[in-house]
């Protein structure tokens, strides 16, 4: 049984750096979960605590229903794959893959059978007699996976295993990892800073910021129902537009517009006049000819042509409407003069640069956030 459970898990390094803060997380047996967040948010530290490579300061880690806090890494029955692959350069591929099994004194025939099986699954059969230096980056990554697979562990812990590969290979190996998981059905935690990797691989994704778990949900829920401003801005590219707004009776006021946006949680409806942040994804903004009723007047700054969809950056021209940039989202108010709105539009329906347009948000797809706590309303 490879279920993994974290209860109040925290880490303070020598010197007082708090890397992980009271994380609660349940990973089902056979689930593929991704830990994602910006560099330094504590995701590798958390993975290493689960692996037994880092002492746990507070809380409890359970694997297969048993507390493992005091158990050394080698007794936890998990296999870790590192970004650097950590292959032994003097050993052949076969020796690299079988090494851990030799240490465990498994019968020779069993070792050969497991290595051959892994080689077949990972398409390494023709490479077993080569040394790591004679392999491409993608092949080395497969050898590292092979070494993990042959141990038949309760769980795989993957620490940025695709980061050293070029973009094309990364996409290919990402798909292979997904297929491998479907085939083996082993509990997997995959750490990455790449949100596309997280969204494509994880059945559930845990988003971290500054050592805190910000949301743990399916990729779809993270995208469509972010729990807070951090997740709203981190997941999705280009990022969600965030607009300074005021809660008014019956909706949200942004500049000249009153939009019929409903709070997700009715109990949290703010009082009239309360500042809020309105979040709208680029695909939920449309543009219309200038002067259209009930819209935001704006001037096109840039048209980024991509197929089949393009991006339009348009700066609001009404003085009382401000789109928040990264530096002013945290507290909801900042000194910056604001950033343009970003619209995702079909490539055959684009305005011309410098044109005056009207921007229409879809109120049914908009999100509301508390500018002080950052939580969704
Ligand atoms: P991530 O994997 O998300 O990039 P890490 O878990 O590596 O983040 O690091 C989280 C925080 O802990 C960072 O502030 C980092 O500088 C700090 N940190 C990581 N390893 C150590 C260590 N061995 N000693 C002290 N601080 C560390």
């Amino acid at each position: 049984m490879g279920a993994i459970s974290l209860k109040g898990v925290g880490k303070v390094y020598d010197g007082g750096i708090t890397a992980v803060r009271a994380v609660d997380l349940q990973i089902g047996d056979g689930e593929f979960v991704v830990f994602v967040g910006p560099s330094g948010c504590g995701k590798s530290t958390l993975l290493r605590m689960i692996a037994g490579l880092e002492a746990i300061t507070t809380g409890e880690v359970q694997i297969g229903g048993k507390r493992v806090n005091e158990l050394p890494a080698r007794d936890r029955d998990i296999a870790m794959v590192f970004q650097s692959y950590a292959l032994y350069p003097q050993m052949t591929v076969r020796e690299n893959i079988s090494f851990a099994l030799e240490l465990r004194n498994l019968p020779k025939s069993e070792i050969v059978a497991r290595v051959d099986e892994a080689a077949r699954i990972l398409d390494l059969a023709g490479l077993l007699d080569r040394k790591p230096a004679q392999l491409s980056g993608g092949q080395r990554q497969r050898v590292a996976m092979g070494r993990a697979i042959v141990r038949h562990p309760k769980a795989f812990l993957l620490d940025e295993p695709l980061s050293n590969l070029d973009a094309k290979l990364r996409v290919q190996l990402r798909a292979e990892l997904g297929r491998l998981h479907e085939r083996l059905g082993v509990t997997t935690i995959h750490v990455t800073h790449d949100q596309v990797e997280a969204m494509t691989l994880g059945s559930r994704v845990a988003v971290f910021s500054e050592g805190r778990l910000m949301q743990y949900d399916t990729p779809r829920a993270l995208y469509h129902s972010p729990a807070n401003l951090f997740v709203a801005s981190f997941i999705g590219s280009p990022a969600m537009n965030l607009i300074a707004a005021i809660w008014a009776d019956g909706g949200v006021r942004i500049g000249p517009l009153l939009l019929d946006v409903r709070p997700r949680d009715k109990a949290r409806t703010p009082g009239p006049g309360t500042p809020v942040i309105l979040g709208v994804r680029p695909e939920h903004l449309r543009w219309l000819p200038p002067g259209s009723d009930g819209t935001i007047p704006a001037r096109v700054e840039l048209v980024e042509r991509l197929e089949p969809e393009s991006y339009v950056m348009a700066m609001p021209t009404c003085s009382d409407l401000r789109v928040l940039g990264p530096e002013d989202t945290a507290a909801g108010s900042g000194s910056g003069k604001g950033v343009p709105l970003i619209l995702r539009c079909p490539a055959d329906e684009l305005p011309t640069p410098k044109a005056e347009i009207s921007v229409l948000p879809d109120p049914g797809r908009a999100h509301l956030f508390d500018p002080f706590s950052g939580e969704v309303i």
Side-chain angles (χ1 to χ4, degrees), residues 13-14 17-19 37-46 54 159 191:
Y13 279 109
D14 292 345
I17 295 170
T18 302
S39 177
C41 71
K43 51 196 187 299
S44 297
T45 299
L46 190 57
E54 204 68 73
D159 194 1
V191 163

Side-chain angles (χ1 to χ4, degrees), residues 66-132:
K66 287 205 192 81
R67 176 185 167 99
V68 297
N69 287 42
E70 292 77 24
L71 211 57
R74 63 174 180 280
D75 297 331
R76 291 194 189 187
D77 201 8
I78 45 114
M80 188 139 171
V81 175
F82 299 92
Q83 180 177 356
S84 62
Y85 317 137
L87 302 178
Y88 299 107
Q90 75 282 13
M91 291 186 189
T92 62
V93 168
R94 182 185 289 282
E95 287 162 347
N96 263 287
I97 294 179
S98 61
F99 185 63
L101 303 182
E102 311 268 1
L103 286 185
R104 281 205 249 156
N105 290 326
L106 283 189
K108 233 195 154 62
S109 57
E110 172 73 17
I111 296 179
V112 170
R114 287 201 195 182
V115 172
D116 286 348
E117 184 199 20
R120 192 162 32 79
I121 293 174
L122 293 163
D123 210 10
L124 288 169
L127 307 172
L128 287 172
D129 296 321
R130 291 203 196 169
K131 299 262 175 74

Side-chain angles (χ1 to χ4, degrees), residues 303-326:
V303 176
E304 215 172 67
R305 286 184 173 275
L306 292 169
E307 297 291 345
E309 286 183 315
S310 298
Y311 301 112
V312 174
M313 278 64 144
M315 195 63 148
T317 49
C318 42
S319 58
D320 50 351
L321 190 153
R322 199 157 59 87
V323 184
L324 303 169

